[in-house]
Amino acid sequence: MADRRSARAAIAAVTADFTESTAPREDTSADGPLGWSGYADSRARAAARTGERESVVHGLATVGGHRCVLVSFEFGFLGGSLGQRTGDRLEAAYEEAATRHLPLVSLIATGGSRMQEGMIALTQLHRVAAASARLRAAGPAQLAVLRDPTTGGGWATLGAGADVILALPGAQVGFAGSRVRPPGADPAAYTAEGQLAAGQIDAIVPPEELAAALGHWLGALTRPAAAPPAPAPVPAALSRTGLPPTGWDAVLRARSASRPRAEAYLDAYFGIRLPLSGDRCGGTDPGLLCGFGLREGNEGNEGNEGSAGAGGTGGASGGRPVAYVAQCGTATRPAGYRTAARVIRLADRLGIPVLTLVDTPGAANDAEAERAGAGAAIADAFAAIAAARVPVTTLVIGEGGSGGALALAAPGNTHVTADSYFSVIAPELAAAILKRSPDQVHATADQLRLRPQDLVELGVARSVVRAGPPPGADTGSTRTGSEGSIA
């Protein structure tokens, strides 16, 4: 069984600065809205056992140096169930977050709706959903921490409806509680680990790391109210190769196993990286890295679209937040595009700039991908970037294969490295479609004008970015990694 701390112990584990908010009102009816015999006695026993008057505690807190509204469930109070008074408290917490323009963090441990209040309890889910929608419209982020257990309506509203979903190891997570699952159901599907594999949650965090993780997330999802966000700086190239002489040379370099990949670019760019996982529809794509990162803000070219900054260093949670979507050189699957669209839309709502790294031979086109809705998923990614009000910056770091790559590229703000290419289709496939012999593939690559320098001349890319200085190099006042010039 996973750790089952009390509501206040769960709060104390993530913050020492918590001020409880006043409960909206107390229940004065003896046995609740249904007159359920013995309900008042059950509540009294729960209160005596836990020291709480309801299944939810909420108030203002500081977590990792960031202010938030904090909600914590008391599972010892009637299984952390949701009743009418619980709905009052949850609605008040959401409204306080919206009024104060603060993110909401929910530490959830619940068995679902309270049977002793019948449909009155169940309709609290409408209230929670409406309050969540109002907070989302107001802007602040919603984070959920799934404790043990998180089931029923609590999972289907506060949990699964949050922007970022973290879970404690071994927690029971699922719409169906342990006593109402179908006979023979796979128990692994109802765990935090199973939900992570199915793309339903973002990460599993050990209890001892939760406070730090929440602090980082609150820093990454909170942009100070100021002028519109500046574009994410273009990463410096990590390879020092020159420009390819032919189209086929460009293809070979982009396909080289020794070329720097997305993981290396992200590690160089961010001091802290906070991954998001899953499309919330049952799928994940290990070939696409998504999330938010924090950069230190001492780059002289920060926000200057005419320059490419070197990778961020350090690890302070006060760094500049940037959302990222990065292809890893594999064919991107529908779940990957849906996850990317989710991250881009969240960043857009929060006013945080986006960086995309393009590196794919193309979208997955096998039968499984078609059944999973490849076309609709790619269209969703196109739509997310097209509708984004925050600036999106793109660097092509390897293969730019057709629409599967273009779906994650920023119109008007795409840059390329010297070991990349971007093409309407791979040269081999283009030759096959044109009924050309295999010995004409190299010539076809030239005709496609897919080299980095060709892309700049065609206006598809703004620049070929150069590598930054070697680690430890003394650059003096000379700035390297300048975009806008061809390496």
PDB file of all heavy atoms in Angstrom, residues 33 42 46-47 62 125 137 171 201 249 258 285 302 316-317 324 427 434 442 467 477:
ATOM      1  N   PRO A  33     -28.645  15.642   3.209  1.00  0.00           N
ATOM      2  CA  PRO A  33     -29.772  15.965   2.319  1.00  0.00           C
ATOM      3  C   PRO A  33     -30.732  14.807   2.096  1.00  0.00           C
ATOM      4  O   PRO A  33     -31.893  15.024   1.748  1.00  0.00           O
ATOM      5  CB  PRO A  33     -29.079  16.375   1.018  1.00  0.00           C
ATOM      6  CG  PRO A  33     -27.735  15.730   1.077  1.00  0.00           C
ATOM      7  CD  PRO A  33     -27.356  15.738   2.512  1.00  0.00           C
ATOM      8  N   SER A  42     -21.639   9.097  11.692  1.00  0.00           N
ATOM      9  CA  SER A  42     -20.442   8.745  10.908  1.00  0.00           C
ATOM     10  C   SER A  42     -19.538   9.950  10.757  1.00  0.00           C
ATOM     11  O   SER A  42     -18.308   9.853  10.888  1.00  0.00           O
ATOM     12  CB  SER A  42     -20.845   8.214   9.533  1.00  0.00           C
ATOM     13  OG  SER A  42     -21.562   7.008   9.633  1.00  0.00           O
ATOM     14  N   ALA A  46     -15.748  10.474  12.232  1.00  0.00           N
ATOM     15  CA  ALA A  46     -14.654  10.852  11.333  1.00  0.00           C
ATOM     16  C   ALA A  46     -13.953  12.114  11.831  1.00  0.00           C
ATOM     17  O   ALA A  46     -12.723  12.220  11.782  1.00  0.00           O
ATOM     18  CB  ALA A  46     -15.194  11.065   9.916  1.00  0.00           C
ATOM     19  N   ALA A  47     -14.729  13.059  12.339  1.00  0.00           N
ATOM     20  CA  ALA A  47     -14.147  14.299  12.850  1.00  0.00           C
ATOM     21  C   ALA A  47     -13.298  14.029  14.096  1.00  0.00           C
ATOM     22  O   ALA A  47     -12.199  14.581  14.257  1.00  0.00           O
ATOM     23  CB  ALA A  47     -15.255  15.300  13.177  1.00  0.00           C
ATOM     24  N   THR A  62       3.002  28.759   0.365  1.00  0.00           N
ATOM     25  CA  THR A  62       4.198  29.052  -0.420  1.00  0.00           C
ATOM     26  C   THR A  62       4.953  27.743  -0.596  1.00  0.00           C
ATOM     27  O   THR A  62       5.334  27.109   0.390  1.00  0.00           O
ATOM     28  CB  THR A  62       5.097  30.082   0.279  1.00  0.00           C
ATOM     29  OG1 THR A  62       4.350  31.285   0.496  1.00  0.00           O
ATOM     30  CG2 THR A  62       6.321  30.400  -0.569  1.00  0.00           C
ATOM     31  N   LEU A 125     -19.557  17.214  -8.696  1.00  0.00           N
ATOM     32  CA  LEU A 125     -18.602  17.141  -9.800  1.00  0.00           C
ATOM     33  C   LEU A 125     -18.874  18.229 -10.827  1.00  0.00           C
ATOM     34  O   LEU A 125     -17.945  18.772 -11.435  1.00  0.00           O
ATOM     35  CB  LEU A 125     -18.641  15.754 -10.447  1.00  0.00           C
ATOM     36  CG  LEU A 125     -18.414  14.564  -9.505  1.00  0.00           C
ATOM     37  CD1 LEU A 125     -18.368  13.268 -10.303  1.00  0.00           C
ATOM     38  CD2 LEU A 125     -17.149  14.743  -8.676  1.00  0.00           C
ATOM     39  N   ALA A 137     -10.018  29.708 -17.485  1.00  0.00           N
ATOM     40  CA  ALA A 137     -10.268  30.915 -18.288  1.00  0.00           C
ATOM     41  C   ALA A 137      -9.533  32.122 -17.716  1.00  0.00           C
ATOM     42  O   ALA A 137      -9.113  33.016 -18.459  1.00  0.00           O
ATOM     43  CB  ALA A 137     -11.767  31.191 -18.354  1.00  0.00           C
ATOM     44  N   ALA A 171       0.477   4.605  -5.963  1.00  0.00           N
ATOM     45  CA  ALA A 171      -0.872   5.091  -5.678  1.00  0.00           C
ATOM     46  C   ALA A 171      -1.894   4.394  -6.568  1.00  0.00           C
ATOM     47  O   ALA A 171      -1.645   4.146  -7.752  1.00  0.00           O
ATOM     48  CB  ALA A 171      -0.941   6.601  -5.882  1.00  0.00           C
ATOM     49  N   ILE A 201      -0.970  10.386 -17.022  1.00  0.00           N
ATOM     50  CA  ILE A 201      -0.338  11.288 -16.061  1.00  0.00           C
ATOM     51  C   ILE A 201       1.048  11.655 -16.576  1.00  0.00           C
ATOM     52  O   ILE A 201       1.567  11.015 -17.498  1.00  0.00           O
ATOM     53  CB  ILE A 201      -0.253  10.679 -14.654  1.00  0.00           C
ATOM     54  CG1 ILE A 201       0.700   9.481 -14.620  1.00  0.00           C
ATOM     55  CG2 ILE A 201      -1.638  10.266 -14.158  1.00  0.00           C
ATOM     56  CD1 ILE A 201       0.893   8.904 -13.228  1.00  0.00           C
ATOM     57  N   ASP A 249      24.628  14.964 -49.443  1.00  0.00           N
ATOM     58  CA  ASP A 249      25.487  15.141 -48.273  1.00  0.00           C
ATOM     59  C   ASP A 249      24.673  15.651 -47.083  1.00  0.00           C
ATOM     60  O   ASP A 249      24.884  15.224 -45.942  1.00  0.00           O
ATOM     61  CB  ASP A 249      26.609  16.140 -48.576  1.00  0.00           C
ATOM     62  CG  ASP A 249      27.678  15.547 -49.483  1.00  0.00           C
ATOM     63  OD1 ASP A 249      28.021  14.368 -49.289  1.00  0.00           O
ATOM     64  OD2 ASP A 249      28.159  16.271 -50.365  1.00  0.00           O
ATOM     65  N   SER A 258      26.013   9.812 -35.294  1.00  0.00           N
ATOM     66  CA  SER A 258      26.878  10.594 -34.405  1.00  0.00           C
ATOM     67  C   SER A 258      26.432  12.045 -34.259  1.00  0.00           C
ATOM     68  O   SER A 258      27.019  12.802 -33.487  1.00  0.00           O
ATOM     69  CB  SER A 258      28.316  10.564 -34.934  1.00  0.00           C
ATOM     70  OG  SER A 258      28.391  11.147 -36.227  1.00  0.00           O
ATOM     71  N   ASP A 285       4.434   8.652 -26.842  1.00  0.00           N
ATOM     72  CA  ASP A 285       5.388   8.531 -27.943  1.00  0.00           C
ATOM     73  C   ASP A 285       6.778   8.784 -27.375  1.00  0.00           C
ATOM     74  O   ASP A 285       7.144   9.928 -27.103  1.00  0.00           O
ATOM     75  CB  ASP A 285       5.074   9.545 -29.044  1.00  0.00           C
ATOM     76  CG  ASP A 285       6.010   9.425 -30.242  1.00  0.00           C
ATOM     77  OD1 ASP A 285       6.964   8.623 -30.182  1.00  0.00           O
ATOM     78  OD2 ASP A 285       5.788  10.130 -31.240  1.00  0.00           O
ATOM     79  N   GLU A 302      18.760  37.538 -24.819  1.00  0.00           N
ATOM     80  CA  GLU A 302      17.470  36.966 -24.460  1.00  0.00           C
ATOM     81  C   GLU A 302      16.352  37.723 -25.146  1.00  0.00           C
ATOM     82  O   GLU A 302      16.203  38.923 -25.024  1.00  0.00           O
ATOM     83  CB  GLU A 302      17.272  37.049 -22.943  1.00  0.00           C
ATOM     84  CG  GLU A 302      16.063  36.299 -22.443  1.00  0.00           C
ATOM     85  CD  GLU A 302      16.342  34.836 -22.167  1.00  0.00           C
ATOM     86  OE1 GLU A 302      17.301  34.296 -22.728  1.00  0.00           O
ATOM     87  OE2 GLU A 302      15.607  34.240 -21.379  1.00  0.00           O
ATOM     88  N   ALA A 316      18.568  27.175 -10.777  1.00  0.00           N
ATOM     89  CA  ALA A 316      17.673  27.944  -9.930  1.00  0.00           C
ATOM     90  C   ALA A 316      16.270  27.889 -10.468  1.00  0.00           C
ATOM     91  O   ALA A 316      16.026  28.015 -11.654  1.00  0.00           O
ATOM     92  CB  ALA A 316      18.147  29.395  -9.869  1.00  0.00           C
ATOM     93  N   SER A 317      15.285  27.703  -9.552  1.00  0.00           N
ATOM     94  CA  SER A 317      13.901  27.627  -9.984  1.00  0.00           C
ATOM     95  C   SER A 317      13.374  28.982 -10.408  1.00  0.00           C
ATOM     96  O   SER A 317      12.267  29.094 -10.886  1.00  0.00           O
ATOM     97  CB  SER A 317      13.031  27.057  -8.859  1.00  0.00           C
ATOM     98  OG  SER A 317      13.065  27.910  -7.734  1.00  0.00           O
ATOM     99  N   TYR A 324       8.799  23.271 -24.258  1.00  0.00           N
ATOM    100  CA  TYR A 324       9.541  22.647 -25.353  1.00  0.00           C
ATOM    101  C   TYR A 324       8.808  21.428 -25.908  1.00  0.00           C
ATOM    102  O   TYR A 324       8.087  20.731 -25.202  1.00  0.00           O
ATOM    103  CB  TYR A 324      10.952  22.245 -24.918  1.00  0.00           C
ATOM    104  CG  TYR A 324      11.004  21.164 -23.853  1.00  0.00           C
ATOM    105  CD1 TYR A 324      10.984  19.813 -24.192  1.00  0.00           C
ATOM    106  CD2 TYR A 324      11.094  21.501 -22.500  1.00  0.00           C
ATOM    107  CE1 TYR A 324      11.037  18.830 -23.211  1.00  0.00           C
ATOM    108  CE2 TYR A 324      11.148  20.518 -21.520  1.00  0.00           C
ATOM    109  CZ  TYR A 324      11.123  19.191 -21.888  1.00  0.00           C
ATOM    110  OH  TYR A 324      11.160  18.215 -20.923  1.00  0.00           O
ATOM    111  N   PRO A 427      14.315  12.094 -50.471  1.00  0.00           N
ATOM    112  CA  PRO A 427      14.728  11.986 -51.872  1.00  0.00           C
ATOM    113  C   PRO A 427      14.451  10.611 -52.472  1.00  0.00           C
ATOM    114  O   PRO A 427      14.089  10.503 -53.649  1.00  0.00           O
ATOM    115  CB  PRO A 427      16.226  12.278 -51.850  1.00  0.00           C
ATOM    116  CG  PRO A 427      16.559  12.735 -50.485  1.00  0.00           C
ATOM    117  CD  PRO A 427      15.391  12.568 -49.603  1.00  0.00           C
ATOM    118  N   LEU A 434       8.379   9.761 -58.779  1.00  0.00           N
ATOM    119  CA  LEU A 434       8.630  10.279 -60.128  1.00  0.00           C
ATOM    120  C   LEU A 434       9.083   9.191 -61.102  1.00  0.00           C
ATOM    121  O   LEU A 434       9.426   9.493 -62.255  1.00  0.00           O
ATOM    122  CB  LEU A 434       9.693  11.387 -60.060  1.00  0.00           C
ATOM    123  CG  LEU A 434       9.289  12.636 -59.262  1.00  0.00           C
ATOM    124  CD1 LEU A 434      10.477  13.568 -59.099  1.00  0.00           C
ATOM    125  CD2 LEU A 434       8.126  13.347 -59.947  1.00  0.00           C
ATOM    126  N   HIS A 442      20.442  10.827 -55.807  1.00  0.00           N
ATOM    127  CA  HIS A 442      21.321  11.939 -55.421  1.00  0.00           C
ATOM    128  C   HIS A 442      20.968  13.212 -56.186  1.00  0.00           C
ATOM    129  O   HIS A 442      20.920  14.308 -55.605  1.00  0.00           O
ATOM    130  CB  HIS A 442      22.777  11.562 -55.666  1.00  0.00           C
ATOM    131  CG  HIS A 442      23.258  10.451 -54.787  1.00  0.00           C
ATOM    132  ND1 HIS A 442      24.598  10.129 -54.660  1.00  0.00           N
ATOM    133  CD2 HIS A 442      22.596   9.581 -53.976  1.00  0.00           C
ATOM    134  CE1 HIS A 442      24.730   9.108 -53.836  1.00  0.00           C
ATOM    135  NE2 HIS A 442      23.523   8.758 -53.414  1.00  0.00           N
ATOM    136  N   ALA A 467      27.594  26.936 -33.977  1.00  0.00           N
ATOM    137  CA  ALA A 467      27.880  26.398 -32.650  1.00  0.00           C
ATOM    138  C   ALA A 467      28.368  27.508 -31.738  1.00  0.00           C
ATOM    139  O   ALA A 467      29.006  28.466 -32.170  1.00  0.00           O
ATOM    140  CB  ALA A 467      28.921  25.297 -32.737  1.00  0.00           C
ATOM    141  N   SER A 477      34.458  39.618 -25.505  1.00  0.00           N
ATOM    142  CA  SER A 477      33.238  40.325 -25.847  1.00  0.00           C
ATOM    143  C   SER A 477      32.664  39.851 -27.165  1.00  0.00           C
ATOM    144  O   SER A 477      31.694  40.411 -27.658  1.00  0.00           O
ATOM    145  CB  SER A 477      33.516  41.837 -25.932  1.00  0.00           C
ATOM    146  OG  SER A 477      34.506  42.070 -26.935  1.00  0.00           O
TER     147      SER A 477
END
